[in-house]
Amino acid sequence: MKRNIGDLAIFGGSSAFLQPLYVGRPNIGDRSRFFDRVNWALDHQWLTNGGPLAREFEQRVAELAGVRYCVSTCNATVALQLLARATDLSGEVIMPSLTFPATAHAFRWLGLTPVFCDIDPSTGCLDPALVEAAITPRTSAIVPVHLWGRPCAVDELAKVAADHGVKLFYDAAHGLGCTSKGRPIGGFGQAEVFSFHATKVVNAFEGGAVVTDDEELASRIRAMHNFGFSQGRVSTEAGINGKMTEAAAAMGLTSLDAFEETVRQNEANYDGYQSELADLAGLKVVAFDPEERNNYHYLIVEVDAAETGVHRDLLGDVLRSENVVCQRYFSPGCHEMEPYRSERPVTLPHTERLAQKVLALPTGPTVSREDIRRVCDIVRLTVERGHEVTRRANERAESTAGGEGKGSK
Ligand code: T4K
């Protein structure tokens, strides 16, 4: 256990972890089941193009999401683009800035204009009143994000979309297995998009899905993700190749088999972090509503630099020196990145404030209770002695800069 600031690796102590402790370790499940499935695909020599494993994966995702249709895809970014094409979007799409850049890039890549809207700071998700104020005659859709798996204000957003006659579909990349007022994420808006990237709660190496109750929309997307073929090999419109392979589906199914156990372990980790850090002034663990079903996949802390004396970035540097590979999910906001920053400068006070504070810490089945205790010891030492840590880090930076200056003469 580190008792003094001098024990921190950033100031010359030895790293707390010999091996890196990552955010976003893949949830693999029973690898022998994975190999069985891959062998089955190899034996049957059917590797892609809507094979039986992809179809089984779709069925199981649809069940979990409580919807009638699921189309699996090669990733969520392409799934968002398929949805944009299949709903004939044009002009502007309102979305949050506090998200992974894929949300915005998916639409920008198609020539649509992402319009970033501020969040409700208590949820990190789009503020419906601000969304309404951002609607213009060019708006064709609202694409909210269930950030970190916490549900958006779905009823209010549905009303705004209906009142203004614009499409509403969700980036639910983080939301598999979560609910809003007891209703599963997946069934809100015209459609929702899940990600099954390696780092997600269920992984298919890379993968995504569009889920919906709209039969026509589902069949248009199914055709579009296979070159626009709806029957036989005659395209009915311009499509793309957005299909999930059988190997990816084998991984997805195996990861899905382990889903309940993964969530149970994530929740235990979340409880562990909550209890270790509960009384730490100026730092809070972003909470999940215990009345809802949550996947607890992202463990986010908010660091108040004014109160603790230490900025989130310095806490991140301290942790990384200890081999704790934390992530700034999601900072800076998309509106502060290119091309958006140059193309359409905006100020989003709530987003900017929250983006300065958030840090994702390691969780998932590979992270033990003892790992959490040790991570939290480092966090506690750094935050409780925040002003001193900052002063020493600044002194160290100045002396390094001075040394470099001398060396370069
Ligand atoms: N919408 C939202 C809201 C999203 O968060 C995302 C993706 C998307 C849309 C688009 O979904 P996809 O098109 O990707 O399906 C990672 C993921 O690449 C990205 O999918 C995800 N969000 C985002 C939140 O996280 P990076 O840039 O942080 O990835 P990387 O390579 O730095 O890895 C992050 C951490 O995961 C590291 O600590 C290492 C660990 N890791 C990563 C990989 C790939 C592993 O331990 N094993 C692995 O195989 O974006």
Side-chain angles (χ1 to χ4, degrees):
M1 177 171 173
K2 302 197 176 220
R3 294 181 198 288
N4 302 306
I5 290 177
D7 297 336
L8 293 172
I10 198 168
F11 299 129
S14 49
S15 292
F17 292 88
L18 290 178
Q19 299 296 326
L21 190 67
Y22 289 105
V23 168
R25 281 321 230 180
N27 295 321
I28 291 166
D30 177 352
R31 71 174 66 193
S32 65
R33 280 295 288 133
F34 167 69
F35 287 124
D36 287 348
R37 284 177 166 125
V38 170
N39 275 326
W40 188 89
L42 297 179
D43 289 346
H44 288 79
Q45 302 198 26
W46 198 272
L47 305 184
T48 186
N49 289 11
L53 295 175
R55 289 306 179 109
E56 185 186 344
F57 182 67
E58 289 172 349
Q59 231 170 41
R60 286 182 53 188
V61 170
E63 267 165 39
L64 192 53
V67 294
R68 290 166 65 205
Y69 306 102
C70 170
V71 181
S72 60
T73 59
C74 52
N75 59 51
T77 306
V78 166
L80 286 169
Q81 294 186 317
L82 286 162
L83 202 39
R85 284 282 162 135
T87 53
D88 300 312
L89 297 194
S90 62
E92 298 173 355
V93 180
I94 297 175
M95 63 183 67
S97 164
L98 192 69
T99 178
F100 193 64
T103 312
H105 290 348
F107 296 92
R108 177 65 178 69
W109 190 263
L110 295 180
L112 296 157
T113 305
V115 171
F116 299 112
C117 179
D118 216 348
I119 51 164
D120 171 347
S122 68
T123 64
C125 297
L126 280 179
D127 179 333
L130 298 175
V131 169
E132 183 151 39
I135 290 179
T136 73
R138 281 175 46 75
T139 306
S140 61
I142 306 167
V143 182
V145 176
H146 302 294
L147 188 69
W148 311 313
R150 300 199 311 172
C152 297
V154 289
D155 294 335
E156 294 81 351
L157 288 164
K159 181 167 181 337
V160 172
D163 287 352
H164 294 269
V166 298
K167 306 269 181 349
L168 172 66
F169 47 81
Y170 287 88
D171 179 336
H174 307 166
L176 189 76
C178 303
T179 60
S180 169
K181 296 184 192 132
R183 289 152 61 205
I185 284 181
F188 299 107
Q190 270 89 53
E192 303 210 42
V193 165
F194 292 124
S195 170
F196 300 107
H197 181 264
T199 58
K200 293 295 186 283
V201 68
V202 166
N203 103 84
F205 298 126
E206 293 264 5
V210 179
V211 289
T212 181
D213 281 319
D214 182 334
E215 184 177 6
E216 210 179 307
L217 180 60
S219 55
R220 193 166 180 204
I221 289 172
R222 188 168 293 289
M224 278 184 162
H225 95 315
N226 185 25
F227 311 106
F229 297 155
S230 52
Q231 274 176 355
R233 213 167 297 107
V234 177
S235 75
T236 46
E237 61 182 323
I240 193 84
N241 182 355
K243 300 182 298 284
M244 176 177 274
T245 67
E246 290 291 272
M251 181 75 262
L253 284 164
T254 308
S255 187
L256 208 46
D257 291 341
F259 179 70
E260 295 300 331
E261 180 58 16
T262 302
V263 170
R264 198 192 58 69
Q265 295 190 22
N266 285 347
E267 184 173 6
N269 290 352
Y270 164 79
D271 291 343
Y273 276 106
Q274 284 281 18
S275 67
E276 295 283 344
L277 300 173
D279 61 335
L280 195 53
L283 181 140
K284 75 171 182 196
V285 178
V286 168
F288 291 96
D289 181 349
E291 300 297 312
E292 300 291 352
R293 197 179 140 81
N294 304 294
N295 63 30
Y296 300 96
H297 182 61
Y298 287 98
L299 191 297
I300 308 289
V301 292
E302 269 181 49
V303 189
D304 186 330
E307 195 172 345
T308 60
V310 63
H311 190 271
R312 177 275 318 272
D313 288 346
L314 179 52
L315 176 60
D317 291 345
V318 167
L319 286 166
R320 274 184 289 273
S321 306
E322 304 289 349
N323 246 339
V324 179
V325 189
C326 48
Q327 299 283 344
R328 298 192 318 181
Y329 288 151
F330 293 99
S331 178
C334 297
H335 74 292
E336 297 190 280
M337 293 193 218
E338 297 298 350
Y340 315 107
R341 187 172 62 161
S342 303
E343 283 178 356
R344 243 182 119 90
V346 282
T347 305
L348 303 171
H350 294 308
T351 298
E352 286 159 28
R353 222 168 290 133
L354 192 55
Q356 280 295 313
K357 293 183 177 178
V358 287
L359 195 63
L361 299 181
T363 185
T366 56
V367 175
S368 70
R369 187 68 178 79
E370 176 58 15
D371 292 334
I372 291 170
R373 198 192 56 69
R374 289 163 69 205
V375 170
C376 290
D377 277 348
I378 300 161
V379 170
R380 177 173 292 280
L381 177 61
T382 310
V383 166
E384 283 182 342
R385 311 271 291 276
H387 291 283
E388 211 179 327
V389 170
T390 300
R391 187 178 45 73
R392 276 188 73 160
N394 288 341
E395 283 167 7
R396 198 192 49 147
E398 276 161 24
S399 73
T400 311
E404 274 169 10
K406 271 181 212 144
S408 63
K409 272 187 189 162

